[in-house]
Amino acid sequence: NQAILLIMQKGELKEYPTVGCGLSDIINDENLTDWKAEIIAQLEEDGQRIKKLAIDNKGLTLEANYK
């Protein structure tokens, strides 16, 4: 579910048009704070608890599980 939420663009899932982070849009974006907030919001809306989230030049590190 995490991968789907991260990859999916908003509006792609017609039943839930606000679901999705659209992570492919992060390329060349310098505002990583907004991306972190969006990822946290999407995963929490899905009922997950985030243990670790980091975005840097090495990529994305995510540790989350369902509550």
Side-chain angles (χ1 to χ4, degrees):
N1 287 354
Q2 292 171 359
I4 292 168
L5 288 172
L6 292 171
I7 294 168
M8 190 179 338
Q9 296 285 341
K10 289 189 187 316
E12 205 170 339
L13 187 61
K14 296 200 185 293
E15 294 85 13
Y16 303 100
T18 60
V19 171
C21 295
L23 198 60
S24 63
D25 295 338
I26 198 171
I27 297 171
N28 295 325
D29 192 345
E30 295 178 10
N31 191 356
L32 299 181
T33 302
D34 287 348
W35 282 102
K36 286 181 182 179
E38 180 64 23
I39 291 168
I40 290 168
Q42 290 289 326
L43 292 177
E44 286 181 347
E45 181 68 26
D46 188 46
Q48 298 184 47
R49 180 175 296 137
I50 291 84
K51 293 181 179 181
K52 181 180 180 181
L53 174 60
I55 304 173
D56 56 28
N57 60 353
K58 296 178 185 177
L60 178 103
T61 302
L62 174 63
E63 290 180 29
N65 56 18
Y66 285 98
K67 296 177 185 176

